[in-house]
Amino acid sequence: MADYLTVAEAARRLGVKPATLYAYVSRGVLSRVRAPDGRTSLFGAEEVEQLARRGRPRRPPGVADITVESAITEITGDSLRFRGLDATRLAVSRTFEEVAELLWTGEFPSERAPWRARPAALAAARAAQAALPAGTLPLERLQVIVPAMAATDPLRLQLDRPAVIAAGRNIIAGMVDCLALPLPGDDPPETPRHGGLPAPRSPRPPGGGAGLPAPRSPRPPGGEAADQGEAVAGRLWSRLCAGNGPGNGQGRPAPGLMRALSAALVLLADHELAASTLAARAAASVRADPYAVVGTGLGAVSGALHGGASLGAETLMAAASGPEDVPRVVAELLRRGEKVPGFGHFVYRGGDPRAILLLDLVRRAAPKSGQLAVADAVFAEVRHKSLPEPNIDFAIATLVRVAGMVRGAGEAIFAVARTAGWIAHALEAYSGPGPLRPRAVYTGRPPADEP
């Protein structure tokens, strides 16, 4: 292919390292194609020559590129692919467990055995939550559950592929089955909340408890625990939904909403080197065990600019007493100099394909939902102000509100789903050359001879 250059040839022509070449691709500066073997990257000779003549692209202030070669996920301006397969198609055709196995092994599993955590891990993780205060959010519980499970696994430092995959199944099953069951009526989504946005992490609404009832201690897991033979999506639903949303009247979700939750888990399973994945991959590169890798990811994903963004969007919608109240809520948010959570994305400039699919599934499942009307009003108000398109965080928050899930459920959905991706990246890092060690550019004062 005379019109194309190999990685080495393109890097040599531009006078950069191969890692910088891939950074140019991720930033849209340079495009690449696949060689006939399906794995080798090639670069157009003419495009490389034009870039060489223009000189190296300047880096915008505040942007840092850390490039890692990975065969797991590919993101373009308008699509997301897992192992070469469109994630939005996988979301409506495959289970979360199947997609997790695809990320881990490159193939779908031949059998569909349910994932179960070991009894000792379940017992330890449930006991570890005993001292947590009422109103502890689901993600905060997950940050306690995972290290407690780790303490019961004496072979957690066995890092060969089968052992890590088995640990991944155990971790995800335990995260779901150890979440405390919500009480019926907990955090009902239809309860109006006036007077602006409530404090983001407070278990009670501001103003001395007006609005929502004071939180009660959740039911301990036991006889009412979800059947461990059920799929992860169904088990997670029973842990997050207090029975306030559309269903069949027997505590079961409307089928369309269950499909939406299953799709959300798939759509969130991985997203290349997002902040939590980079942190998790760095931990794995120094041979931290899978539980520690997931714990690292859980710490990063809680950030308000990452997985925690869905809680901000939930809180925004909860602050509106109805669709007609949304302009006031959005205006107050902007007046305080805050951004509207759940809109815009660093990668998807023309709209997040994950959000487009998930919002469509929720809309079809519960078209008459009052909470969907609130979400639509938020969307309309943001569009009226020419702000960016909704992202996956807004879509998850919409699902949570429409389904009647407990407050903070979106963060938990994100974390459980993304654990599959963290394990996939850990598997790559374990087989890699060594530590992922970025270098800093020192900007402090110059060296001094005296202290």
Side-chain angles (χ1 to χ4, degrees), residues 210-274:
L212 290 180
R216 296 163 287 177
S217 298
R219 294 194 300 259
E224 298 180 52
D227 178 12
Q228 290 190 39
E230 192 175 3
V232 165
R235 287 146 66 182
L236 184 59
W237 178 283
S238 70
R239 300 291 170 170
L240 298 178
C241 187
N244 301 302
N248 62 9
Q250 300 175 350
R252 304 296 297 172
L257 288 177
M258 177 57 77
R259 284 194 292 271
L261 175 59
S262 178
L265 289 171
V266 171
L267 293 169
L268 288 165
D270 192 49
H271 206 237
E272 199 206 61
L273 289 182

Side-chain angles (χ1 to χ4, degrees), residues 24-397:
Y24 289 170
V25 173
S26 68
R27 290 161 55 191
V29 174
L30 189 64
S31 58
R32 67 173 175 176
V33 298
R34 297 290 186 184
D37 63 9
R39 297 191 301 175
T40 306
S41 295
L42 297 175
F43 300 86
E46 183 177 349
E47 186 180 9
V48 170
E49 186 62 28
Q50 290 176 351
L51 181 57
R53 290 172 181 170
R54 292 199 307 266
R56 296 186 187 184
R58 291 184 176 272
R59 183 193 305 273
V63 175
D65 288 320
I66 300 176
T67 304
V68 176
E69 293 190 21
S70 174
I72 300 169
T73 298
E74 181 181 23
I75 300 175
T76 66
D78 58 359
S79 69
L80 172 67
R81 294 182 179 275
F82 298 153
R83 302 285 186 181
L85 301 177
D86 190 318
T88 57
R89 294 186 180 181
L90 292 173
V92 295
S93 63
R94 295 284 184 170
T95 67
F96 169 67
E97 291 92 326
E98 288 176 317
V99 172
E101 298 277 354
L102 173 69
L103 293 175
W104 297 342
T105 68
E107 299 177 351
F108 293 114
S110 56
E111 300 179 357
R112 294 189 179 186
W115 291 2
R116 297 185 178 91
R118 294 182 299 106
L122 293 174
R126 289 167 178 167
Q129 299 178 74
L132 296 179
T136 299
L137 295 177
L139 178 58
E140 295 166 339
R141 291 184 175 276
L142 293 176
Q143 291 170 330
V144 172
I145 287 170
V146 172
M149 293 177 63
T152 69
D153 188 350
L155 300 179
R156 63 183 179 276
L157 288 172
Q158 185 74 28
L159 302 183
D160 60 279
R161 181 170 291 270
V164 174
I165 291 174
R169 297 187 190 112
N170 181 66
I171 292 169
I172 292 174
M175 290 170 70
V176 172
D177 293 334
C178 289
L179 278 174
L181 288 162
L183 286 165
D186 276 357
D187 219 9
E190 298 296 338
T191 303
R193 302 180 189 180
H194 299 282
L197 298 183
R201 290 274 173 184
S202 171
R204 303 170 190 266
L212 290 180
R216 296 163 287 177
S217 298
R219 294 194 300 259
E224 298 180 52
D227 178 12
Q228 290 190 39
E230 192 175 3
V232 165
R235 287 146 66 182
L236 184 59
W237 178 283
S238 70
R239 300 291 170 170
L240 298 178
C241 187
N244 301 302
N248 62 9
Q250 300 175 350
R252 304 296 297 172
L257 288 177
M258 177 57 77
R259 284 194 292 271
L261 175 59
S262 178
L265 289 171
V266 171
L267 293 169
L268 288 165
D270 192 49
H271 206 237
E272 199 206 61
L273 289 182
S276 60
T277 304
L278 179 60
R281 184 153 186 152
S285 75
V286 294
R287 305 305 183 258
D289 67 74
Y291 297 86
V293 167
V294 173
T296 302
L298 288 172
V301 83
S302 64
L305 299 182
H306 195 11
S310 65
L311 180 61
E314 286 179 41
T315 305
L316 169 67
M317 286 186 266
S321 60
E324 69 286 346
D325 193 35
V326 164
R328 175 192 65 81
V329 173
V330 173
E332 289 184 358
L333 193 74
L334 297 176
R335 190 175 297 116
R336 293 195 297 271
E338 301 176 25
K339 292 183 178 181
V340 181
F343 289 84
H345 199 282
F346 176 75
V347 176
Y348 305 112
R349 300 301 187 183
D352 187 338
R354 303 168 300 170
I356 294 170
L357 173 61
L358 186 54
L359 287 170
D360 180 63
L361 291 173
V362 173
R363 186 168 285 107
R364 283 190 283 169
K368 298 181 180 180
S369 165
Q371 290 301 306
L372 179 61
V374 170
D376 283 339
V378 172
F379 183 23
E381 187 68 14
V382 169
R383 174 166 283 183
H384 176 69
K385 291 176 168 52
S386 300
L387 296 177
E389 294 294 305
N391 59 34
I392 188 64
D393 301 305
F394 181 78
I396 299 169

